[in-house]
Amino acid sequence: MTYFLQLLAIICRFNYANAPANLGYYEILLDVALFDIDILKPSCVIGWTFTRSVVAQFGVVVVGFVVNFGPIVYDVARDVCAGRLRPCGVYASLHYYDGPYGPRATRAAASVLALIDVQQTTIAFNAFASFRCDAFEGYDAKFLREQPDESCDGPNAAFLIILGLSTTVVFTLGLPHLLLGSIEYECEANGGVHHSHVQDLLGWNFGAFRAPHHGWRIRRIYLSVVICLAATMFDDPLLQIAIALAAVFQTYADHLRNEPYIEPRLNRLETMGLQLVALALLAGILRERARFSQFWFTWVIFGQ
């Protein structure tokens, strides 16, 4: 359910004009599900900017990489120093089937990929937010919408654009599609995802899904990307909600039609999670435009 709590956390960041007074408390709780590093920001020690927040978020991935690969690097270096492994044979030692460190390195890579995946929603939101610079009354310069005290002009502007583009291309879209392509290639070339190296490297990605839906996780990423786009690129809360609802309904319909999970229990949980997100969006509509409540309520009920 972490995935759906992350979606709710982004929905709470929609531009609600009549947000409940206590919404901030829920946002803090939901930000925990986002693994948002801003929860731990040391603003009392240093100035905490949007740029530092994004860099620190990737720092979590760096820490995960060091924790997972550090012991392997240590063991390889020890073997090289002891003469048990030649320096030119280090690469071969990481081969999955023939190298002594292959399975360990593959499982370490899988842990890092899973860590990136669980932060996918936060990474996507930060990437899109770095593109959004608004003008404020009384100021000639433009400032970040998510961090109004950080200017978009000067050298910082180029850095924000590079940061947003690279994050979008590499992490938000590139890496998920690379993994999807690897899974689909394995299915077509070998009749399934049965090889041990594929199971160890990508099992966390496709293991819960039945054939031929091993790549279903990408659809969940599409939903989070659309909701993040709605939250960062649009100002009208009704438009934000309408875009998110359209994406949720499409995902919901696809899920009911295919039921991609192996376990029926997971299919039921997915259904409940999507319904929860739809109801949260409905609650936002009811609060923003009470006169449309009957229309939207009927739409959501019949849509499900």
Side-chain angles (χ1 to χ4, degrees):
M1 296 299 287
T2 302
Y3 168 73
F4 296 107
L5 292 177
Q6 291 179 342
L7 296 185
L8 291 176
I10 301 301
I11 290 170
C12 283
R13 300 184 183 189
F14 282 5
N15 193 30
Y16 296 115
N18 302 305
N22 60 347
L23 183 61
Y25 298 107
Y26 296 106
E27 287 180 339
I28 294 175
L29 294 175
L30 291 173
D31 282 348
V32 175
L34 277 174
F35 297 93
D36 192 346
I37 199 68
D38 277 355
I39 298 175
L40 304 175
K41 61 183 177 183
S43 54
C44 57
V45 180
I46 60 173
W48 193 253
T49 64
F50 175 80
T51 304
R52 286 180 175 172
S53 172
V54 174
V55 172
Q57 196 70 48
F58 283 110
V60 176
V61 179
V62 173
V63 170
F65 183 89
V66 172
V67 168
N68 282 280
F69 281 97
I72 299 175
V73 172
Y74 173 80
D75 289 343
V76 170
R78 184 183 58 185
D79 286 352
V80 171
C81 293
R84 292 188 295 267
L85 181 65
R86 298 175 61 184
C88 60
V90 170
Y91 179 78
S93 71
L94 299 177
H95 188 274
Y96 184 87
Y97 293 102
D98 300 325
Y101 298 106
R104 283 180 60 188
T106 301
R107 288 191 290 269
S111 297
V112 174
L113 290 173
L115 179 61
I116 296 173
D117 180 77
V118 82
Q119 296 184 85
Q120 183 70 35
T121 302
T122 304
I123 291 173
F125 181 87
N126 288 339
F128 300 144
S130 65
F131 295 123
R132 184 62 190 270
C133 293
D134 291 349
F136 292 86
E137 187 176 355
Y139 295 91
D140 295 330
K142 290 186 176 181
F143 298 86
L144 276 173
R145 176 187 176 188
E146 294 300 317
Q147 189 91 22
D149 58 349
E150 186 164 351
S151 174
C152 293
D153 293 340
N156 198 42
F159 177 78
L160 286 171
I161 293 175
I162 294 173
L163 180 65
L165 283 175
S166 59
T167 302
T168 301
V169 172
V170 176
F171 292 98
T172 305
L173 299 176
L175 183 59
H177 284 91
L178 177 63
L179 299 181
L180 173 64
S182 300
I183 294 171
E184 291 184 343
Y185 171 80
E186 191 69 20
C187 291
E188 292 180 7
N190 299 302
V193 284
H194 311 303
H195 288 168
S196 298
H197 70 282
V198 179
Q199 292 282 344
D200 281 352
L201 181 62
L202 299 174
W204 61 270
N205 189 299
F206 63 76
F209 303 107
R210 62 182 178 85
H213 305 297
H214 290 311
W216 194 266
R217 185 176 294 271
I218 195 70
R219 293 173 180 261
R220 305 176 102 222
I221 293 176
Y222 289 156
L223 177 59
S224 66
V225 166
V226 170
I227 292 178
C228 288
L229 276 172
T232 54
M233 296 300 171
F234 299 95
D235 294 322
D236 188 340
L238 284 181
L239 180 58
Q240 291 176 318
I241 293 172
I243 293 171
L245 267 178
V248 169
F249 284 158
Q250 182 61 54
T251 304
Y252 185 73
D254 291 341
H255 171 73
L256 291 182
R257 185 164 51 247
N258 294 282
E259 294 192 337
Y261 289 94
I262 297 173
E263 295 186 28
R265 175 180 60 88
L266 294 179
N267 284 314
R268 290 193 296 270
L269 284 174
E270 188 85 356
T271 300
M272 292 171 57
L274 290 170
Q275 290 174 341
L276 176 64
V277 173
L279 289 174
L281 292 167
L282 171 64
I285 291 175
L286 295 178
R287 193 167 186 88
E288 289 297 316
R289 295 291 186 270
R291 64 180 181 273
F292 293 132
S293 60
Q294 184 175 0
F295 167 75
W296 287 110
F297 182 79
T298 305
W299 184 26
V300 171
I301 294 300
F302 280 98
Q304 296 186 21

